[in-house]
Every structure is written in structure tokens, then in C-alpha cells.
Amino acid sequence: MQLGALSRLALALARAVSALRGRLDALCWSLAPLSLSLLLSLPLPGWRRVSAPGPSAAAGHRRQREQEQERDGAAPTPTSVNYHFTRQCNYKCGFCFHTAKTSFVLPLEEAKRGLAMLKAAGMQKINFSGGEPFLQDRGEFVGKLVQFCKRDLKLPSVSIVSNGSMIREWWFKKYGEYLDILAISCDSFDEEVNVLIGRGQGKKNHVENLHKLRQWCRDYAVAFKINSVINRFNVEEDMNEQIKALNPVRWKVFQCLLIEGENCGEDGLRDAEKFLISDDDFERFLDRHKDVSCLVPESNQKMRDSYLILDEYMRFLNCTNGRKEPSKSILDVGVEAAIQFSGFDEKMFLKRGGKYVWSKTDMKLDW
């Protein structure tokens, strides 16, 4: 066969493959989940494969636990996933356990591909976090992900955790209909305490902004949630009146947690030791607020291994040994292979109430 004929044949084949891949979106939702997962692992035209750094060497007992899990049966289902797509933040909270160690953010289409793979593997809820999610493209990036997950993937629940400082009303107008829950981090209703913690931002008042965001959630039918980290500087505070006035659907109360390499240790970017409280101190805080009906407490024991955490490279982070050990990226090896190294405690996830009424259509709230 002459060179010209070969060239024409190669061009025809390339066009055929491109056309076939271009029809993937129309075909994939009618396929079985396994077939979908395999198809979505193929790079599409114009999508760049991003190689994540490989995982560090695991401790011996961690590998033993993984081998036991493999013998016990199938990988856990990624029912609820926390995707920390950025580590960058405009606040400097002293106890932060997901710090700005990189500035990397996946290209939008690669992130969407990974989210579709998670949906095919059984994901029902996605929570976008950081860092500060609204820093990337002034909220457009997370808005497009929220829209994709609700409109295209049709996930039952899509949520965001934010410090709230970068959110503007235009965002609710454009993307609010696709968001089920907005969780705002607020550790104190005393602005001086917020400054001590690292949530101060010049003349901006964190608490005043919290009330503005609460009203926008009412106006645009988004369920409002508050997250608080209880630490040395707020453990004696009485928040009953303020929380009841804001009336969130959930008030998640965390005990300050140390993660080596993040907020403690030689390679950590924070020193959270001075923020630590005892288990008894945490229990006293909970007892003081026991009449708040939306209170959802999480001690260190409940929190450590009961979250599926996906980092900026879409690697699951295993916190079993007190630091974040990454799996390989789901974009490289698939969800089932990566999740085997997540250290996820599915029983603790259910025990701590990780599965709840998380779709705003089922909450029947009086907006």
C-alpha cells in the first residue's frame, strides 16, 4: 500500500475514533455501572492526563489492615465523598488540618471526569471543600462543579464547606438551585476570638457576614449549616442563643484534631498544639449546648477515619496513622483500586450519622 493511501486510512481511523468518543456522554448513562467506570477511565480528546505524585511508603500495620480488608470482600462504596479540590485559602486558621502545601487544581474537565467515575461507583453525596472553594475563579470553578453534579450526574446531595468570605449574591442567583447545603465555618461569635483563631480579615466581620449568608440561603432555597471547631480559645463560649437564632439544619461541632504533616510535626504548616482541648473539655462544651436540637458532635475518635477525603489530585487520603497518606489518583487507577488504600471506616461513618437527610428536596424546610 502506498504512503498516500496509508495516510488517508490513518486520518479516517482518527476521525472515526474521535466521533465515537464524542458520543460518550450520550451513551454512558445507559450502560451498566462497571462498563461506565471503565469507559470514563479513558482520556477524551482535549483532556490532559495529570499525573499525581505517588503515595509515600506505608507503615507495615497499615498494609496488614489493607490485606485484611481485601480478604473480607469488596471495596467500600464511596457513598459520601469530600473533594478538597484546592488547598489555597485566604484565612490562616491555626488548627487547619488541610493546609496550603500545593497550589494545584485539576483542570475542570478532568475534575468532572473523576466525579462521573465516583458516581458510577456509587457516590450519592459530594461535598466540595478546601482550602477555600470560592477562591478558584472567584467561585465560578466550584459553581460549575456543583451544576455538573446536580444537573448532569443527578446526585441526591451536593454541598460546599466555605469560610464564607468570598461568596457573593450573584453566585446564588447563578448556581443556588443546584446546591443542597452550604456549610459555613464559624468557631466563635466573638470577633476577637475569631482573630485569635485566624479567621480575622481586616475590617471584615466574620459574624456579620455569617448572618448575611444565612439570609441568602433563605432567599435562594439552600439549606444552611454551620461547622465549628472547638479549641482552647472557644471551649468556654456559650453559643446557644446565636445558634438558635441562625437556625441551621445542622450544627457540626468538631473537636480540634492533630494531623501530622498538616498542623503538627516537622513538615506541618501549622502548630495546632496550643489549640488542643481534652476529651473532658469537649464533653463539657457539648453538655452546655445539649438543648440545641441541630447539634451534631464529632470527637477525634469519630472523625479520624470516617470520612472519604479526596485531595487536589483526586487521591484518597488515609489518616489511619495520624497523617494523610495518599492513594494513587482515581484518574489513573480507577475508584475501586484507589479506595482500597483510603483507610475508610464505613461502620464508623454510619455510626456517627454520616448518612442523613441530605437532599434539600427531602428536608421540607420553611425557607
Side-chain angles (χ1 to χ4, degrees):
M1 189 178 291
Q2 294 183 355
L3 183 60
L6 283 173
S7 297
R8 288 193 295 273
L9 178 61
L11 180 60
L13 285 172
R15 285 174 177 170
V17 171
S18 179
L20 180 61
R21 286 180 173 175
R23 298 172 64 89
L24 178 59
D25 286 340
L27 291 171
C28 61
W29 304 117
S30 63
L31 299 176
L34 178 59
S35 299
L36 175 59
S37 180
L38 289 170
L39 284 169
L40 287 169
S41 67
L42 294 171
L44 299 184
W47 287 6
R48 179 171 59 88
R49 172 65 61 89
V50 179
S51 297
S56 59
H61 70 273
R62 175 187 159 191
R63 180 58 191 150
Q64 182 179 355
R65 176 177 170 178
E66 289 161 356
Q67 289 171 339
E68 290 171 356
Q69 288 176 339
E70 290 169 4
R71 287 196 298 268
D72 289 342
T77 301
T79 306
S80 177
V81 177
N82 296 273
Y83 177 24
H84 296 251
F85 65 82
T86 179
R87 283 179 171 268
Q88 297 300 299
C89 189
N90 58 330
Y91 277 8
K92 296 181 180 179
C93 303
F95 48 71
C96 178
F97 48 80
H98 200 75
T99 54
K101 305 199 84 168
T102 78
S103 59
F104 180 80
V105 177
L106 272 173
L108 181 66
E109 294 304 318
E110 283 282 85
K112 286 181 178 180
R113 183 164 69 90
L115 291 166
M117 292 169 68
L118 287 162
K119 165 69 187 294
M123 180 174 68
Q124 298 177 29
K125 181 182 188 297
I126 183 68
N127 179 55
F128 296 106
S129 189
E132 172 48 47
F134 285 85
L135 270 180
Q136 186 71 14
D137 298 334
R138 297 183 178 275
E140 281 286 354
F141 188 87
V142 71
K144 289 173 182 176
L145 291 180
V146 164
Q147 183 182 57
F148 173 74
C149 287
K150 180 59 72 172
R151 187 185 66 187
D152 299 344
L153 298 185
K154 294 179 170 44
L155 289 182
S157 184
V158 181
S159 63
I160 298 174
V161 175
S162 167
N163 62 40
S165 64
M166 303 288 292
I167 306 176
R168 302 294 181 262
E169 189 175 7
W170 69 261
W171 193 94
F172 285 93
K173 291 178 180 179
K174 189 172 182 179
Y175 297 112
E177 64 179 295
Y178 307 110
L179 184 65
D180 290 281
I181 304 169
L182 175 64
I184 300 297
S185 300
C186 180
D187 305 313
S188 177
F189 291 92
D190 182 333
E191 200 60 29
E192 291 183 2
V193 174
N194 283 322
V195 172
L196 282 173
I197 288 171
R199 291 202 189 276
Q201 223 192 1
K203 295 180 180 179
K204 291 183 180 180
N205 186 296
H206 189 76
V207 178
E208 288 179 3
N209 195 52
L210 182 71
H211 284 270
K212 180 170 65 177
L213 291 165
R214 178 66 183 100
Q215 186 57 51
W216 284 340
C217 284
R218 285 194 184 100
D219 294 342
Y220 296 95
V222 175
F224 180 72
K225 177 183 173 185
I226 297 175
N227 287 353
S228 300
V229 178
I230 308 309
N231 60 84
R232 176 187 168 193
F233 296 102
N234 65 3
V235 68
E236 301 300 334
E237 190 170 338
D238 187 337
M239 304 183 188
N240 279 283
E241 183 179 340
Q242 293 89 344
I243 294 294
K244 288 177 181 178
L246 286 161
N247 192 29
V249 293
R250 284 162 74 85
W251 178 32
K252 188 73 78 71
V253 173
F254 302 97
Q255 183 180 357
C256 183
L257 176 69
L258 292 183
I259 297 291
E260 189 177 345
E262 297 283 355
N263 60 12
C264 69
E266 291 184 2
D267 54 344
L269 298 185
R270 299 284 193 278
D271 181 8
E273 295 278 356
K274 65 180 180 181
F275 291 91
L276 283 185
I277 58 172
S278 67
D279 292 346
D280 289 341
D281 288 336
F282 186 61
E283 288 301 323
R284 283 193 301 106
F285 181 90
L286 297 179
D287 186 64
R288 191 183 313 128
H289 298 89
K290 63 180 182 293
D291 294 329
V292 178
S293 60
C294 60
L295 173 65
V296 181
E298 287 194 13
S299 64
N300 288 172
Q301 181 185 8
K302 287 183 178 179
M303 185 180 175
R304 191 183 299 274
D305 302 322
S306 65
Y307 284 84
L308 270 177
I309 302 174
L310 207 63
D311 75 357
E312 64 272 27
Y313 299 99
M314 285 197 156
R315 305 175 300 183
F316 287 111
L317 297 179
N318 187 329
C319 300
T320 304
N321 296 323
R323 63 182 296 120
K324 292 178 176 177
E325 298 283 355
S327 70
K328 292 182 179 179
S329 174
I330 67 171
L331 298 172
D332 295 326
V333 300
V335 175
E336 186 174 354
I339 205 171
Q340 294 281 8
F341 296 89
S342 67
F344 179 55
D345 188 337
E346 201 163 8
K347 291 181 180 178
M348 182 58 78
F349 165 74
L350 295 171
K351 184 178 180 181
R352 69 166 171 81
K355 201 168 185 178
Y356 57 95
V357 179
W358 51 33
S359 173
K360 64 183 178 183
T361 57
D362 298 329
M363 292 180 190
K364 299 177 182 178
L365 295 174
D366 182 7
W367 303 109

